[in-house]
Amino acid sequence: GDSVTQMEGPVTLSEEACLTINCTYTATGYPSLFWYVQYPGEGLQLLLKATKADDKGSNKGFEATYRKETTSFHLEKGSVQVSDSAVYFCAGRAGGSYIPTFGRGTSLIVHP
Amino acid sequence: DSGVTQTPKHLITATGQRVTLRCSPRSGDLSVYWYQQSLDQGLQFLIQYYNGEERAKGNILERFSAQQFPDLHSELNLSSLELGDSALYFCASSVSQQGYEQYFGPGTRLTVT
């Protein structure tokens, strides 16, 4: 079946450091790919998405590019802030499925 | 605020008991999804309803059931509760049954003692 693999956390960074969280998706066909963010005590929020190869999703300074050859969708940010501390989930949804498959989540901790 | 509401926020109950979790989707959304989030299993899809009908089923135990009512709110019923059912239960909604973009509620934290 479909699966999403993302790097294990926690990822601990200092403020203004660069962030990369790796995500790869294994599926039949080419899925739509998503990043969700979960702030402490809250539900998941859609952060960005890409629906086809070479699409770049971006929001709040975060970016991710859908790489077809590796079905990867790595999340990047050039300068993280303390307020970015959260759990980040990569997810993919194959064309024939109504339900996204979520990764295990990566906790990001940003220190001042 | 996603527009999805869930009640209650917290629930503490004993093993063997039965509880009902409630979800109201965003205005205009016809699909409701239920997820269970635990430390060891991550985020697990349980079940989806679209406009009152079951559309997809995931890793939902037989002790669990759900329904979506004509006003589109949904309830997740958990019975014969076990310690391992302690988790965060999220509801999400989307406009279509394809669930292209899902909007999550704040969750209900269930603690079984």
Side-chain angles (χ1 to χ4, degrees), chain A residues 32 34 36 38 41-46 49-51 87 89 93 97-100 102-104, chain B residues 33 35 37 39-43 45 48 55-56 88 90 97-102 104-106:
Chain A
S32 298
F34 308 85
Y36 283 83
Q38 183 180 27
E42 298 183 12
L44 279 71
Q45 302 175 26
L46 180 64
K49 68 181 187 287
T51 57
V87 180
F89 291 87
R93 191 183 70 85
S97 170
Y98 295 163
I99 308 302
F102 286 87
R104 294 293 301 255
Chain B
Y33 309 78
Y35 293 88
Q37 185 181 37
L39 281 174
D40 55 341
Q41 295 290 325
L43 191 65
F45 165 70
Q48 177 204 6
R55 274 290 180 261
L88 264 171
F90 287 107
Q97 63 181 343
Q98 284 78 17
Y100 186 70
E101 288 189 29
Q102 296 186 17
F104 282 74

Side-chain angles (χ1 to χ4, degrees), chain B residues 49-69:
Chain B
Y49 280 83
Y50 175 76
N51 206 19
E53 294 190 10
E54 184 184 304
R55 274 290 180 261
K57 223 168 186 177
N59 300 321
I60 187 165
L61 300 172
E62 285 192 12
R63 299 183 286 109
F64 296 0
S65 65
Q67 54 184 325
Q68 186 179 28
F69 295 86

